[in-house]
Amino acid sequence: MFFQYETTRLLLKVLRADCAPQVLDFYNRDKELFEMYEIDRVPDFYTVKHLQKVLRYEYNMAVKSQLFRFYVFQKENPCRIIGTVCIHNIAPAFYGSCEIGYKFSSEFHHMGYATEAVGFCTKLAFNELRMHKVTAVVHPGNVPSMKLLNGLGFVQEGLLHDYLILHGKWCNHYIYGLVTVSYTHLRAHETEADL
């Protein structure tokens, strides 16, 4: 895997610690939205110092091929983060699976950027990491995320009861999955449609 990729409209990069101010700006822009679906923040989360530690950790994990968090930029504005896609819980060998997670600034919703970035990272998981299956976990209230996954060919496989604590309460989450055979089949049909 490389640490930087580009799609039709986007740049995806694994960032170093010196990019913490950009990451802080990204999180600050949509605090309420992101916090709605994520575990409670540590007290110093919204500081450059804390995010430098996070970025160092993520970079070291990417070097070990254990986690890849790509921060997403528009090609026309390569200094402002608009989203992030993370390939994590990478379990090769007998499992051959990983999980994908993502979040995008509300300012850039409904423009196809999330679909473009998540679709690309799903392709990376299958083609470069040689995964057999990619999963995603979604809060039942996050309907746009479910639509995004369905549009990429993911299938809702079930409900994970008491999956994690959100705002002091255990919450259920749906699990979605896509296996390489289904992915290859979907891509083949897309190519045929393009001809």
Side-chain angles (χ1 to χ4, degrees), residues 21-157:
Q22 290 169 278
V23 175
L24 179 58
D25 172 66
F26 168 69
Y27 278 109
N28 275 329
R29 275 184 270 136
D30 275 292
K31 255 187 198 182
E32 288 182 25
L33 173 65
F34 297 154
E35 288 182 2
M36 193 182 312
Y37 300 114
E38 296 181 349
I39 59 173
D40 292 344
R41 308 293 195 202
V42 295
D44 65 342
F45 182 87
Y46 295 101
T47 65
V48 168
K49 186 176 179 182
H50 176 76
L51 292 173
Q52 284 172 334
K53 286 190 273 186
V54 170
L55 289 169
R56 274 193 288 273
Y57 170 80
E58 290 174 348
Y59 191 89
N60 289 334
M61 292 291 279
V63 168
K64 298 173 189 173
S65 295
Q66 294 177 338
L67 173 150
F68 295 91
R69 179 176 300 282
F70 293 102
Y71 289 88
V72 182
F73 303 79
Q74 295 170 296
K75 283 185 180 176
E76 64 206 40
N77 188 0
C79 296
R80 189 172 188 233
I81 299 167
I82 68 165
T84 174
V85 182
C86 186
I87 301 170
H88 58 112
N89 290 345
I90 299 169
F94 300 108
Y95 293 99
S97 67
C98 66
E99 187 176 326
I100 197 163
Y102 45 88
K103 54 182 157 271
F104 279 75
S105 291
S106 56
E107 182 184 346
F108 298 95
H109 287 184
H110 311 295
M111 298 178 181
Y113 291 129
T115 299
E116 186 173 330
V118 175
F120 182 80
C121 287
T122 301
K123 182 173 84 170
L124 287 180
F126 286 125
N127 295 346
E128 294 198 28
L129 292 177
R130 302 286 182 220
M131 293 289 108
H132 172 71
K133 183 175 187 177
V134 179
T135 62
V137 176
V138 183
H139 186 278
N142 194 346
V143 175
S145 189
M146 292 185 233
K147 287 182 179 176
L148 182 150
L149 292 168
N150 284 327
L152 291 172
F154 283 76
V155 175
Q156 189 181 107
E157 297 183 338

